[in-house]
C-alpha cells in the first residue's frame, strides 16, 4: 500500500500525485459532506490512457476510486467512505476542449472543464451551452455524473439531454469511446445514458461530445411579485401561452428565501416596492430578430397585473439590471450553503401539486421542530422546489443539524405522497441512499444492483454511493 503513490507517479509523472497530508484536505468531500474517510493519495491524470492504467492497478489491488470534479456536489457523492483503502481521482488536469464546431453545433470537452469554461468556449463560436447554474466551478464530469439541472432545464433539458457521446474508463481499465457527435444514432443500447447520473459508480467519464445551441439575439428578464403559489402556477400557464418555448427560466423565491439572502448580503436589494409572499424570476430568449420578445413580455405583465395574478413587477432594461435580478436568485442557494445548520432539500412534485406540497411540507417540518423556518425556492417551472429549512431563532445550528434526518424525512414523505421524488437534480450520493430505498420498488433496486455488479464486479468505483446498503 505504501508503494502505491510511487506506482501512480510512475504512470503520471512528477506532480501527478498528491500525498502530503496538507494537500489531501481539499479533496476529502463536497459541499454536503466536506470531511470523509481517509485517502491514500489524490491522482491527477492528464490523459485517458494514464487513467486507464491507474484503474487497472486499483482493480488488481482492490483499491476504491472516488472520482472528483469541482467538489460542489450537494449529496456527498465525492466524499470517500471510511473502511476502504481509497484514492481520489481528480480531473482538474483533464480540461481541454478537444473540438468546437459551430456548423454542427457541437463541442467535445474533457471532464475537468469547469462550467464557466464550457460557457466561454461555446460563446467563442457564438453558441450557448445548455447547463446553467450557480456552481460555476463545478466540472463537466461532475455535472454529467449527477445529471445536473439548473436554471435552464425548461428550455434545454437536464445534463443528459446535452450529451451526444461519451468517453468512459470502465472498472476493468478498458476505455469505452463513443464520442461521435451524432444527433441520430440508434445502434443498440444507448450506453452513455447509463453513466450519466450514475455518480461515478459505473464508470469514470473522461470526455463528452456535447450539443450547443445558437446564441440568442434577444433576451428579456423580469421579476414579478405574486400573492400565492396558486397565482405563481397561473402566471406560469399565462407565460407559456404568451412566450412559448422562448422561456428559459421560471424561478420562484419565497419571501423567507429573499430575506435570508438580504440578511446574508447585508443589503436589501428589493426588486420592486411591494413586499409580496412570492417572487418569480422569468427569463426568455430568442434566436430570431423577428419575434418581439419585449412586447410579448410587457403584454403578459400588463394582462396578469390587471387580473390581480401579479401584484408588482419589474423588467430589466439593461444587462446590469438583469444581473441584479439574477443576483437575488443566485444569492439564495449561496446564503443557504453558508448558513450554519440550514437544511437543503431537493424534492420535486408534479407541477400542479406544488402549492399542496409546500403547504403540507411546511406543516410537517414544524410538527417535527416547532418554530423552524421553511425557506422554499427553486425551479418551479420543472416542479423542483428546494424545500430548505432554517433552525428556529432560539435553537443552535448544531442542535438543529442533529434533527436534519427527521426533518428531511418529513419533507420527503410529503413529496412521495404527492407522486414526487426525493432528488430532482442533486443526486443520491452518500446522504440520500435511505431515501432512495424508501422511494424505489424492490424491482428497481434489484435492477440498479444488477447494473452495478455488471459494470463494477469488484466494487471499486465510488463504493458506498447511490445504492442503499
Ligand atoms: C451556488 C451553487 C448553485 C448550484 N445550483 C445547482 C443547480 O441549480 N442545479 C444542480 O443540479 N446543481 C447545482 N449545484 C450543485 C453542483 O454544482 C452540481 O451538483 C454539479 O453537478 C457537481 O459538479 P462537481 O464537478 O462539483 O462534482 P463533484 O461534487 O466533485 O462530484 C459530484 C459527483 O460526480 C462524481 N464525479 C465527478 N467527476 C466525475 C467523473 N469525471 N466521472 C465520474 N464521476 C464523476 C463524484 O464522484 C460525485 O459522485 C449548485 C452548486 C452551487 C455551489
Amino acid at each position: 500500500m505504501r508503494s502505491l503513490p510511487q506506482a501512480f507517479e510512475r504512470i503520471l509523472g512528477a506532480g501527478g500525485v498528491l500525498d502530503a497530508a496538507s494537500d489531501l484536505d481539499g479533496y476529502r468531500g463536497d459541499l454536503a459532506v466536506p470531511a470523509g474517510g481517509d485517502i491514500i493519495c489524490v491522482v491527477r491524470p492528464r490523459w485517458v490512457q494514464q487513467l486507464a492504467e491507474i484503474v487497472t492497478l486499483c482493480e488488481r489491488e482492490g483499491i476504491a476510486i472516488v472520482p472528483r470534479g469541482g467538489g460542489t456536489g450537494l449529496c456527498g457523492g465525492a466524499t470517500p467512505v471510511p473502511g476502504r483503502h481509497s484514492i481520489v481521482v481528480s480531473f482538474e488536469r483533464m480540461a481541454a476542449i478537444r473540438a468546437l464546431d459551430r456548423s454542427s453545433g457541437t463541442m467535445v470537452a474533457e471532464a475537468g472543464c469547469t462550467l464557466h469554461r464550457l460557457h466561454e468556449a461555446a460563446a467563442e463560436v457564438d453558441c450557448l451551452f445548455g447547463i446553467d447554474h450557480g456552481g460555476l466551478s463545478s466540472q463537466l464530469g461532475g455535472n454529467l455524473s449527477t445529471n445536473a439541472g439548473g436554471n435552464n432545464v425548461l428550455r434545454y433539458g437536464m445534463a443528459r439531454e446535452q450529451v451526444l457521446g461519451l468517453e468512459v474508463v470502465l472498472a476493468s481499465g478498458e476505455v469505452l469511446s463513443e464520442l461521435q457527435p451524432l444527433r441520430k444514432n440508434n445502434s443498440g443500447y444507448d450506453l452513455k445514458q447509463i453513466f450519466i447520473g450514475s455518480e461515478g459508480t459505473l464508470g469514470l467519464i473522461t470526455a463528452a461530445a456535447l450539443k450547443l445551441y445558437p446564441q440568442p439575439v434577444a433576451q428579456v428578464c423580469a421579476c414579478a411579485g405574486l400573492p400565492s403559489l396558486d397565482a405563481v402556477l397561473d402566471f406560469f400557464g399565462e407565460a407559456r401561452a404568451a412566450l412559448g418555448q422562448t422561456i428559459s427560466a421560471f424561478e420562484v423565491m419565497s419571501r423567507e428565501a429573499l430575506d435570508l439572502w438580504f440578511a446574508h448580503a447585508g443589503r436589501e436589494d428589493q426588486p420592486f416596492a411591494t413586499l409580496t409572499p412570492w417572487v418569480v424570476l422569468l427569463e426568455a430568449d430568442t434566436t430570431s430578430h423577428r419575434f418581439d420578445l419585449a412586447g410579448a413580455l410587457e403584454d403578459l405583465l400588463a394582462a396578469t397585473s390587471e387580473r390581480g395574478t401579479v401584484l408588482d413587477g419589474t423588467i430589466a432594461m439593461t444587462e446590469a439590471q438583469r444581473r441584479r435580478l439574477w443576483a437575488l436568485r443566485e444569492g439564495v442557494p449561496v446564503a443557504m450553503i453558508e448558513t450554519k445548520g440550514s437544511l437543503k432539500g431537493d424534492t420535486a412534485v408534479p407541477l400542479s401539486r406544488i402549492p399542496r406540497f409546500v403547504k403540507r411540507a411546511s406543516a410537517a417540518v414544524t410538527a417535527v421542530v416547532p418554530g423552524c423556518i421553511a425557506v422554499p425556492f427553486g425551479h418551479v417551472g420543472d416542479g423542483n422546489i428546494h424545500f430548505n429549512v432554517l433552525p428556529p431563532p432560539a435553537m443552535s445550528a448544531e442542535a438543529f443539524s442533529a434533527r436534519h434526518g427527521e426533518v428531511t424525512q418529513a419533507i420527503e414523505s410529503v413529496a412521495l405522497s404527492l407522486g414526487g421524488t426525493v432528488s430532482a437534480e442533486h443526486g443520491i450520493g452518500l446522504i440520500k441512499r435511505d431515501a432512495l430505498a424508501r422511494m424505489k420498488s424492490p424491482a428497481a433496486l434489484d435492477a440498479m444492483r444488477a447494473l452495478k455488479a455488471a459494470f463494477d464486479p469488484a466494487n471499486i468505483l465510488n463504493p458506498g454511493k447511490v445504492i442503499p446498503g
Side-chain angles (χ1 to χ4, degrees):
M1 207 67 67
R2 244 185 266 134
S3 61
L4 266 178
Q6 288 90 317
F8 293 137
E9 196 157 289
R10 278 195 289 280
I11 298 169
L12 297 176
V17 178
L18 305 177
D19 62 351
S22 56
D23 287 338
L24 302 186
D25 286 345
Y27 293 88
R28 283 192 211 280
D30 65 7
L31 292 175
V33 188
D38 283 338
I39 45 180
I40 301 165
C41 60
V42 177
V43 300
R44 304 187 304 153
R46 279 190 197 281
W47 321 114
V48 65
Q49 278 311 329
Q50 290 177 327
L51 181 58
E53 281 185 55
I54 284 165
V55 174
T56 306
L57 186 55
C58 288
E59 209 237 357
R60 204 171 62 218
E61 301 286 332
I63 302 294
I65 297 171
V66 183
R68 182 195 170 80
T72 69
L74 297 167
C75 57
T79 305
V81 289
R84 286 287 301 252
H85 293 296
S86 307
I87 64 163
V88 165
V89 172
S90 167
F91 290 85
E92 63 202 287
R93 301 200 309 172
M94 288 186 84
I97 303 289
R98 293 191 196 164
L100 197 50
D101 182 350
R102 183 182 183 182
S103 57
S104 65
T106 58
M107 159 164 78
V108 179
E110 290 187 343
C113 286
T114 62
L115 190 53
H116 180 68
R117 175 70 191 118
L118 294 168
H119 288 168
E120 270 182 355
E124 282 163 25
V125 288
D126 244 351
C127 285
L128 176 146
F129 178 56
I131 303 175
D132 179 33
H133 60 69
L136 284 174
S137 61
S138 64
Q139 297 178 2
L140 176 61
N143 278 274
L144 299 186
S145 302
T146 56
N147 186 27
N151 305 328
N152 283 351
V153 171
L154 260 181
R155 176 75 174 279
Y156 302 107
M158 293 189 62
R160 70 170 72 251
E161 284 158 82
Q162 317 309 319
V163 180
L164 298 168
L166 273 192
E167 180 184 82
V168 179
V169 176
L170 302 175
S172 60
E174 280 171 292
V175 180
L176 183 89
S177 185
E178 305 220 320
L179 279 176
Q180 310 93 310
L182 294 171
R183 299 259 166 183
K184 286 178 138 182
N185 183 6
N186 265 352
S187 52
Y189 300 147
D190 192 353
L191 292 176
K192 64 179 180 294
Q193 296 298 351
I194 290 172
F195 300 103
I196 299 169
S198 73
E199 301 180 48
T201 60
L202 301 179
L204 305 179
I205 296 172
T206 49
L210 301 165
K211 285 181 203 166
L212 299 178
Y213 300 89
Q215 190 74 256
V217 293
Q219 188 173 50
V220 289
C221 181
C223 262
L226 298 105
S228 66
L229 276 173
D230 286 314
V232 169
L233 291 195
D234 283 350
F235 183 47
F236 183 53
E238 297 287 330
R240 286 180 93 168
L243 298 165
Q245 292 189 335
T246 64
I247 300 177
S248 52
F250 192 92
E251 304 283 305
V252 74
M253 293 159 275
S254 59
R255 175 60 39 197
E256 292 76 13
L258 283 171
D259 286 346
L260 175 72
W261 167 239
F262 295 148
H264 191 77
R267 62 174 194 281
E268 274 210 16
D269 208 2
Q270 302 286 356
F272 36 73
T274 316
L275 299 186
T276 54
W278 298 94
V279 171
V280 162
L281 188 155
L282 163 64
E283 188 155 89
D285 55 51
T286 174
T287 55
S288 165
H289 288 287
R290 289 173 182 271
F291 181 48
D292 179 13
L293 203 53
L297 179 67
E298 279 164 25
D299 290 352
L300 169 72
L301 286 176
T304 47
S305 300
E306 209 166 290
R307 276 199 291 279
T309 310
V310 166
L311 302 178
D312 204 346
T314 183
I315 297 179
M317 303 308 286
T318 62
E319 177 58 20
Q321 285 172 359
R322 172 182 172 264
R323 288 215 185 122
R324 216 186 104 220
L325 297 184
W326 269 106
L328 302 175
R329 172 60 186 83
E330 298 292 16
V332 174
V334 172
M336 280 308 299
I337 288 167
E338 292 174 6
T339 300
K340 284 206 176 103
S342 67
L343 184 153
K344 291 164 272 299
D346 181 34
T347 40
V349 295
L351 200 67
S352 61
R353 298 180 190 166
I354 286 178
R356 252 186 295 165
F357 167 68
V358 170
K359 194 169 167 206
R360 287 191 202 168
S362 301
V365 296
T366 42
V368 178
V369 178
C372 66
I373 302 159
V375 186
F377 73 96
H379 319 292
V380 74
D382 315 318
N384 179 194
I385 291 289
H386 295 297
F387 195 92
N388 293 351
V389 191
L390 295 174
M395 193 178 209
S396 72
E398 292 71 25
F400 188 61
S401 298
R403 310 289 303 275
H404 273 189
E406 293 162 75
V407 180
T408 303
Q409 201 163 327
I411 300 165
E412 289 170 352
S413 298
V414 176
L416 292 178
S417 73
L418 291 169
T421 173
V422 297
S423 176
E425 60 177 13
H426 294 165
I428 298 300
L430 202 51
I431 64 176
K432 288 206 186 153
R433 289 174 308 158
D434 292 346
L436 189 80
R438 286 197 300 277
M439 177 178 171
K440 295 281 184 190
S441 67
L445 290 171
D446 284 349
M448 288 174 74
R449 290 193 180 101
L451 263 182
K452 174 72 176 169
F455 279 92
D456 181 20
N459 191 24
I460 59 163
L461 296 181
N462 218 2
K465 309 296 165 54
V466 183
I467 297 177

